[in-house]
């Protein structure tokens, strides 16, 4: 009974939209109907009842408008750093980062770093205010054009929207253990957050000496006086140099050097979905057909992440691991990985912004984010 009703509703939606031509905002307003709910349960039930409408060709626009009205247009403008800029950019109708952030965190803030960045003189830039359920990674970070904060990199669920030059794809894992950190990784994340909180360069990866002293106090790090002088000698502290110094500083002094060597590589499986992947022959990739068509594609990647605190591992080349010996592909394993050839694609650069120096491998076509 449920299936029949659902199918009939889908047919009605298709029939209703068949003759609709939306060439302008005025045309869209003629068919738009707005319903306001004060109960989340009522809103959810109405959404379920109208799922076919949100799956239609107008679905993305309806979802966006619903999100804007739910937040409130006045709040949307207050969330932004520059309310004069369009939320949808010309000429191709790309969503601005404000829209992406609105859908991810509920606020139309324009930046992807954590919290606010104080520029002095009463000016600040707005980033992600708190934890999110679904995260965000972007190719722009691998090009050093922005810095994604920990809120978006470490969401509640192991799901990330992946941004590229052209559109958005999705990276996800079946096991939330991929997000778990061991003791030293948690330590590194805490230090990185403290460093980023003092970074006034817009994600450039360097801070002033005064900010560096605050980082040391916040994270209980004690450098020998000669090493501290070396780090502060240039007047600014660069993250990469600070990190290298931490790798050589014993963890008893707040560093990352672990003489026990007990921590091994992470090894897990993650999946990537591209809704408009490159053309394939007859939708199967076989050579038997000759008609290229577009087909959504999902790719399974085997990921191996070396320990970030070990100097030798940090400097050495690593290879990815094969999941062929795993009984459950979604289970996180810390066993020594099987050595295979490492593969590369722009998606791997995005993955490395979340798991530094991760090595990836896959079977079949290269995963595409364009």
């Amino acid at each position: 009974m449920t299936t029949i009703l659902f199918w009939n509703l889908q047919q009605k939606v298709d029939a209703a939209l068949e003759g609709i031509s939306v060439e302008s905002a005025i045309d869209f307003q003629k068919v738009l109907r707005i319903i306001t709910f004060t109960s989340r349960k009522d809103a959810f039930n109405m959404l379920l009842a109208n799922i076919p409408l949100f799956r239609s060709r107008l679905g993305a626009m309806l979802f966006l408008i619903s999100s804007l009205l739910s937040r409130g247009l006045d709040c949307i403008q207050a969330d932004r750093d520059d309310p004069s800029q369009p939320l949808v950019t010309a000429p191709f109708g790309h969503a601005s980062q404000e829209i992406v952030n609105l859908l991810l965190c509920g606020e139309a803030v324009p930046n992807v770093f954590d919290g606010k960045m104080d520029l002095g003189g009463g000016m600040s830039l707005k980033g992600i205010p708190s934890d999110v359920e679904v995260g965000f990674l972007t190719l722009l970070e691998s090009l050093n054009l922005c810095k994604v904060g920990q809120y978006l990199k470490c969401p509640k669920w192991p799901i990330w929207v992946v941004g590229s030059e052209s559109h958005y794809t999705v990276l996800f894992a079946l096991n939330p253990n991929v997000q778990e950190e061991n003791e030293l990784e948690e330590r590194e994340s805490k230090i990185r957050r403290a460093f980023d909180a003092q970074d006034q360069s817009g994600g450039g990866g360097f801070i002033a000496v005064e900010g560096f002293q605050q980082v040391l106090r916040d994270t209980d790090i004690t450098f020998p006086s000669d090493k501290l002088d070396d780090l502060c000698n240039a007047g600014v502290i660069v993250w990469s140099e600070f990190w290298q110094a931490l790798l050589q500083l014993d963890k008893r002094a707040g560093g990352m050097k672990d003489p026990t060597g007990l921590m091994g590589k992470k090894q897990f499986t993650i999946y990537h979905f591209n809704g408009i992947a490159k053309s394939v022959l007859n939708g199967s990739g076989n050579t038997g057909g000759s008609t290229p068509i577009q087909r959504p594609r999902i790719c399974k990647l085997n990921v191996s992440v070396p320990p970030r605190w070990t100097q030798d591992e940090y400097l050495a080349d690593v290879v990815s691991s094969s999941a062929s010996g795993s009984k459950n592909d979604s289970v996180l394993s810390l066993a020594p990985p099987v050595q295979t050839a490492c593969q590369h694609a722009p998606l791997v650069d995005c993955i490395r912004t979340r798991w530094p120096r991760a090595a990836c491998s896959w079977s079949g076509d290269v995963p595409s984010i364009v």
Side-chain angles (χ1 to χ4, degrees), residues 54-215:
F54 284 90
R55 289 174 173 168
S56 72
R57 59 187 174 87
L58 296 181
M61 185 63 70
L62 292 174
F63 180 60
L64 173 59
I65 293 176
S66 297
S67 301
L68 293 170
L69 294 179
S70 295
R71 175 60 176 162
L73 299 184
D74 290 339
C75 289
I76 293 290
Q77 291 297 80
D79 290 340
R80 309 170 68 197
D81 286 339
D82 186 356
S84 66
Q85 296 299 313
L87 287 172
V88 177
T89 59
F92 302 112
H94 289 165
S96 65
Q97 192 63 46
E98 287 101 326
I99 286 180
V100 177
N101 289 344
L102 172 66
L103 301 180
L104 292 177
C105 76
E107 297 185 17
V109 293
N111 301 293
V112 292
F113 50 72
D114 292 342
K116 290 185 178 181
M117 180 180 295
D118 186 6
L119 301 180
M123 298 180 62
S124 63
L125 299 177
K126 300 170 186 173
I128 306 300
S130 59
D131 293 331
V132 298
E133 295 200 4
V134 175
F136 179 76
L137 304 175
T138 174
L139 187 64
L140 294 179
E141 182 173 9
S142 68
L143 300 174
N144 293 320
L145 297 178
C146 72
K147 175 64 180 176
V148 179
Q150 293 300 306
Y151 288 145
L152 289 177
K153 285 183 179 176
C154 303
K156 178 179 180 180
W157 307 108
I159 307 170
W160 295 266
V161 175
V162 180
S164 71
E165 306 98 320
S166 57
H167 73 290
Y168 298 97
T169 55
V170 179
L171 189 72
F172 65 95
L174 302 181
N175 192 328
N177 288 348
V178 301
Q179 297 239 80
E180 290 184 356
E181 294 184 325
N182 56 46
E183 177 186 355
L184 289 179
E185 285 178 315
E186 291 178 355
R187 173 71 176 159
E188 190 273 341
S189 295
K190 178 181 179 180
I191 295 172
R192 183 76 215 212
R193 285 194 297 269
F195 187 93
D196 289 345
Q198 301 297 327
D199 187 351
Q200 303 300 314
S201 65
F206 58 89
I207 59 178
V209 173
E210 294 79 6
F212 182 55
Q213 296 293 343
Q214 185 62 47
V215 171

Side-chain angles (χ1 to χ4, degrees), residues 25-78:
I26 295 178
D27 293 337
F28 192 69
Q29 290 176 8
K30 292 178 181 178
V31 298
L32 192 63
R33 299 293 181 269
I34 299 175
I35 305 175
T36 301
F37 298 92
T38 57
S39 165
R40 179 176 298 216
K41 180 180 179 181
D42 292 342
F44 182 74
N45 290 336
M46 177 61 74
L47 177 62
L48 288 181
N50 289 275
I51 281 294
L53 187 59
F54 284 90
R55 289 174 173 168
S56 72
R57 59 187 174 87
L58 296 181
M61 185 63 70
L62 292 174
F63 180 60
L64 173 59
I65 293 176
S66 297
S67 301
L68 293 170
L69 294 179
S70 295
R71 175 60 176 162
L73 299 184
D74 290 339
C75 289
I76 293 290
Q77 291 297 80

